[in-house]
């Protein structure tokens, strides 16, 4: 059986990392021969959506179960949609936990055991920046509700209107025209050092997103595998607010009476799931 364990290091002798989306390593283990593939978590420092991205990674690695300390609602739903069992409450040394699993001493969880964003700010320094600026800039780094107060960045990249229209347009015009406010102080300008840090963080987040998009484009051009998961909308819960439209980095969403997602374009990134204020969007296993 192929399972994944969240770990603080790359070996079976390391301790369990209690965070799922922001663990240090994922250990992909074949329980038949205890062979290990250690994956350094690429989502560790994401400002938002780390749980969903990590769940997507588990689906791509075709694991059947995940052993971790804690799992939040978005990650849990995504893993469940991918048909992956989630076992929470794991602690101690990885090898001991896997042996308990093999002995049938652990049982699958029926629901998440922590709230969303549980792991933010508890690990590497990069995370504390995500947590610290998150209060003031909303979800500008990841979700496109950036410093300018509007949604230019998300609209430009998400709805496919071009980076010039969204990212280089009204959003950055506003940043250039007036200093941004400090967290919790509407209208109060940042000092130059604080604003520089904030803008650098946004630039790094955009570079990460651009890198992910280019990697996906390369996969598709080379006939690579389609994402294991695809976004879907609960029509009864959707209010057609457009948040998912702005969050989508590949323009896979259109708004009519409700949001509609083109499964041929959807890359299963989960940005729309994170940004939906009604919880109307989720990921499911691709048919």
């Amino acid at each position: 059986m192929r399972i994944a364990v969240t770990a603080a290091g790359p070996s079976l002798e390391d301790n369990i990392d209690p965070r799922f989306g922001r663990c240090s390593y994922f250990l992909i283990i074949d329980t038949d021969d205890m062979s290990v593939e250690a994956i350094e978590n690429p989502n560790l420092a994401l400002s938002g959506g780390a749980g969903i991205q990590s769940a997507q990674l588990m689906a791509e690695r075709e694991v059947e179960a995940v052993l971790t300390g804690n799992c939040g609602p978005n990650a849990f739903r995504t893993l469940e949609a991918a048909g992956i069992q989630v076992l929470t409450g794991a602690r101690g040394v990885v090898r001991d936990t896997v042996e308990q699993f093999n002995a049938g001493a652990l049982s699958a969880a029926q629901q998440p055991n922590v709230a969303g964003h549980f792991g933010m700010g508890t690990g590497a320094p990069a995370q504390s920046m995500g947590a610290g600026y998150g209060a003031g800039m909303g979800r500008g780094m990841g979700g496109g509700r950036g410093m300018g107060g509007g949604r230019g960045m998300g609209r430009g990249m998400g709805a496919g209107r071009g980076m010039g229209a969204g990212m280089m347009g009204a959003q950055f015009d506003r940043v250039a025209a007036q200093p941004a406010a400090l967290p919790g102080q509407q209208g109060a300008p940042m000092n130059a050092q604080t604003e520089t840090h904030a803008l650098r963080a946004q630039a790094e987040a955009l570079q990460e997103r651009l890198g992910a998009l280019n990697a996906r484009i390369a996969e598709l051009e080379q006939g690579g595998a389609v994402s294991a998961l695809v976004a879907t909308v609960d029509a009864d819960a959707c209010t057609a607010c457009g948040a998912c439209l702005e969050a989508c980095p590949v323009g896979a969403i259109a708004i009519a009476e409700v949001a509609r997602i083109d499964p041929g374009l959807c890359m299963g990134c989960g940005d729309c799931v994170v940004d939906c204020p009604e919880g109307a969007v989720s990921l499911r296993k691709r048919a």
Side-chain angles (χ1 to χ4, degrees), residues 179-200:
L182 285 167
Q185 298 180 1
Q186 292 295 328
M190 289 184 179
N191 60 40
Q193 183 179 10
T194 303
E195 186 173 2
T196 298
H197 282 309
L199 292 174
R200 281 178 178 167

Side-chain angles (χ1 to χ4, degrees), residues 104-154:
L106 305 178
S107 57
Q110 302 303 311
Q111 60 186 14
N113 66 333
V114 291
H117 310 295
F118 167 79
M120 291 187 70
T122 59
Q127 291 173 232
S128 61
M129 179 176 290
Y133 283 110
M137 299 194 313
R139 301 195 56 241
M141 294 183 201
R145 295 191 177 87
M147 286 174 55
R151 294 184 177 177
M153 205 179 302

